[in-house]
Amino acid sequence: MGHLLMIESWVGSMSRLLPSAIRDQGHEFTFLTRDLHHYLRSAPEGTDHPLLAARGVLTADTNDPDTLLPHIAELHRALRFDGVLTSCDYYLPTAARVAARLGLPGPPVRAVTDACRKDATRRVLDAAGLPGPRFAVRADLASATEAARELGFPLVLKPVDLCAGMYVRAVADENELAAAHRALAGFPVNARGQRRDPRVLLEEVLHGPEVSVETVTFAGTTHVVGVTDKSVGGAPAFVETGHMFPAALDAAQREAATTTAVRALEALGLDNAVAHTEIKLTPDGPRVVEVNPRPAGNRITELVRHVTGVDLAAACVDLALGRAPDLTARTTGLRSAAIGFLLPETPGILDRVDGTTGLDGQPGVLEAQFSRPGTAVRASGSNNDYLGHVMTADPDGPGARRRAEDILAGLRPRMVTR
């Protein structure tokens, strides 16, 4: 039985999946956090949060790695950890540093750090010769405007160190660039209390369908688990509105996407990690959007498991312990699984969602969850603003996405305007 140190977590599905994977494999974990209430607030009423299944919950300033590393070294002498892991992007470099400090299995610190920074990823991939969008990295608005003039509009403005599509915006001219830059500058500290880097990444707009390649790399070899498709809405924001696994691609498209993803992982030097690499299939060939050195969010990890039986959360546990994960695909009876997200159209207070009655019992519906009445709703600007979702499956072919879209088309959120 292994004893893992979990440093922070995402609040969503991975805060449930990762503790479950640890327990299901007969291991235990200690949870280290700077603010336990950040997680307890998200637990359904009347239930215990899965993170409370830890052998122990410890508090420390996880935002100060220089102080944290020697503190964890002291804990290690007393508690003896066999591995270190996290599911939260903001702490992936810290977890890698801790593992290296303790002499435990883990991905290379530099590779994880570069993958978690959108600007660093661009520079590494560009230096490795992977085709990508023209880009520039700037801090202040004046230099960003000058760079935008050189690149040419339209462009995409991205923060270099945020997640879930936060503050990523398409900008068509200098006025829109200024507005997007000001909005991002007004968010100087992220949700975990970490001060943000003020630099922005400006990129040429990429056209074409977007997919993600789900991989596991162990001991220098990358195994492609599959390819997921993505639908995006909420312009000028980029809000993920749904996914299906596996993506409905032809053999050439699948090969192009997977080859590009593996090349990106090799360029970054990422090893001993589950990764979720986003790819645009442009008319000029595949282009990397970003590389995430952790399992896919937005319930994609569960879509993969529903179709293939491969548990990417369990793979994270194995990798943290230095063990080869079991990536054997199994017959599940499903050919595709999809998720569709309900997005708010107007801000206000949610009164109800019409059209949800009886969804749980309908054929092909794996799950249907929606926000509770009384929830404060803002107009959607990122993947953090969903009103709920429906997860669907098709035992015969790639029909799961259409099923999810048909259900969402029949749902109507009703707001009490503030």
Side-chain angles (χ1 to χ4, degrees):
M1 180 175 70
H3 180 202
L4 292 130
L5 175 64
M6 186 187 301
I7 303 174
E8 302 290 1
S9 167
W10 277 129
V11 175
S13 61
M14 286 307 294
S15 71
R16 173 174 49 81
L17 295 177
L18 201 51
S20 295
I22 293 171
R23 293 196 309 272
D24 290 347
Q25 294 185 69
H27 309 304
E28 59 183 358
F29 69 100
T30 291
F31 184 54
L32 184 66
T33 177
R34 66 188 290 271
D35 179 13
L36 181 60
H37 291 285
H38 182 82
Y39 305 95
L40 299 184
R41 287 190 294 266
S42 68
E45 188 174 350
T47 65
D48 290 333
H49 198 286
L51 292 168
L52 294 180
R55 178 170 121 179
V57 177
L58 305 177
T59 301
D61 187 356
T62 52
N63 288 347
D64 183 1
D66 292 337
T67 301
L68 183 67
L69 265 64
H71 175 63
I72 291 179
E74 290 292 329
L75 292 175
H76 181 52
R77 280 189 276 273
L79 300 176
R80 303 310 304 174
F81 303 118
D82 299 301
V84 184
L85 76 178
T86 184
S87 61
C88 181
D89 294 49
Y90 299 131
Y91 298 97
L92 288 165
T94 298
R97 286 183 62 184
V98 169
R101 171 72 176 262
L102 302 184
L104 296 174
V109 176
R110 172 49 57 191
V112 172
T113 302
D114 286 345
C116 288
R117 289 277 307 214
K118 294 180 176 64
D119 54 339
T121 300
R122 276 281 167 254
R123 291 191 181 105
V124 169
L125 299 188
D126 186 57
L130 268 77
R134 292 177 299 114
F135 70 94
V137 182
R138 299 290 187 272
D140 61 274
L141 179 57
S143 61
T145 302
E146 181 179 353
R149 290 169 182 160
E150 295 175 0
L151 291 171
F153 291 99
L155 295 168
V156 179
L157 178 145
K158 298 180 178 180
V160 298
D161 56 1
L162 286 177
C163 310
M166 293 183 68
Y167 293 96
V168 178
R169 297 292 183 270
V171 292
D173 53 38
E174 292 185 16
N175 289 334
E176 291 185 5
L177 173 64
H181 194 281
R182 284 194 299 269
L184 178 58
F187 189 72
V189 178
N190 69 24
R192 299 307 183 96
Q194 298 169 334
R195 183 157 291 279
R196 291 193 48 260
D197 189 314
R199 285 176 288 185
V200 299
L201 176 63
L202 298 174
E203 293 182 351
E204 173 188 12
V205 174
L206 295 174
H207 299 283
E210 186 169 336
V211 299
S212 61
V213 181
E214 322 309 336
T215 58
V216 179
T217 305
F218 176 68
T221 299
T222 295
H223 177 91
V224 176
V225 177
V227 183
T228 312
D229 75 6
K230 176 189 297 187
S231 56
V232 178
F238 294 82
V239 182
E240 296 176 2
T241 59
H243 303 278
M244 185 174 74
F245 184 91
L249 303 177
D250 61 37
Q253 290 174 315
R254 188 177 300 105
E255 176 66 19
T258 57
T259 299
T260 300
V262 172
R263 287 185 62 197
L265 298 176
E266 291 173 346
L268 286 162
L270 194 64
D271 195 5
N272 299 322
V274 178
H276 166 72
T277 303
E278 299 175 347
I279 306 280
K280 274 275 193 179
L281 300 174
T282 77
D284 297 320
R287 300 290 184 265
V288 176
V289 176
E290 61 186 47
V291 179
N292 300 281
R294 42 80 178 162
N298 256 0
R299 311 295 293 276
I300 293 172
T301 294
E302 289 161 276
L303 302 183
V304 171
R305 180 176 54 79
H306 279 303
V307 175
T308 69
V310 174
D311 189 336
L312 293 174
C316 278
V317 175
D318 287 327
L319 292 172
L321 294 169
R323 302 174 181 177
D326 180 5
L327 303 175
T328 305
R330 298 169 177 83
T331 301
T332 65
L334 299 179
R335 297 286 299 279
S336 66
I339 188 165
F341 297 101
L342 182 63
L343 271 60
E345 296 180 356
T346 58
I349 303 297
L350 182 65
D351 180 52
R352 66 187 187 278
V353 178
D354 291 341
T356 63
T357 303
L359 275 183
D360 285 325
Q362 289 189 17
V365 176
L366 299 175
E367 182 179 295
Q369 294 181 1
F370 302 96
S371 299
R372 289 176 292 186
T375 299
V377 177
R378 56 187 178 185
S380 182
S382 75
N383 300 342
N384 296 323
D385 301 326
Y386 301 133
L387 289 179
H389 68 267
V390 58
M391 189 181 294
T392 56
D394 183 358
D396 301 316
R401 170 185 279 282
R402 175 59 62 86
R403 179 72 175 125
E405 291 174 344
D406 288 347
I407 291 172
L408 287 174
L411 302 182
R412 292 290 181 272
R414 302 300 184 185
M415 302 290 177
V416 178
T417 305
R418 285 184 285 191

